[in-house]
Amino acid sequence: MKSITKLKINQFKIKQLGYDFMGFTIKRVSDCTAHHLIIPARNGGKLEDWNTVILNGETSHPYWHLIENKSPDIAYAITSEMIDMNIKGYLDEENIRNIHNLLDQFEAQFGNEKNSKGKLLIKREYKQGRAVL
């Protein structure tokens, strides 16, 4: 695990809270992944404190990338909420609720879309993986 990932897990009390920056359940610290927040890796972004948040590598991280591809506006709004928490220095329940509302909007818009293999784009784990606040 990268040192920035460990730092952010401790700084934001991810293990104690049991959820990540998008409000998805974290059962094991090994599920945590570092996500480039503002400047993506493809644009030369580095995993530094200001540019990193912790997401669940099995649920919220791949889900965010799906959202980014299908609805950039919703992805930007989610990113804004995560930036706000990164600045505050803690995971704020209001920001998490705002993110969950954005996820609900995304699911209402794309909930029935399927991939080329006929499987739903929005996996069951993405809907069930949210922590209850």
Side-chain angles (χ1 to χ4, degrees), residues 24 58-60 63 66 107 111 113 119-130:
F24 278 71
E58 300 295 318
T59 53
S60 59
Y63 193 20
L66 171 66
E107 290 161 7
E113 278 200 32
K119 296 189 179 210
L120 290 172
L121 289 177
I122 301 172
K123 296 178 182 180
R124 183 176 348 111
E125 305 88 76
Y126 298 167
K127 293 180 182 182
Q128 296 174 345
R130 297 183 212 172

Side-chain angles (χ1 to χ4, degrees), residues 59-78:
T59 53
S60 59
H61 207 157
Y63 193 20
W64 189 91
H65 287 289
L66 171 66
I67 294 165
E68 177 186 34
N69 288 325
K70 297 298 287 179
S71 180
D73 290 342
I74 292 177
Y76 294 142
I78 291 170

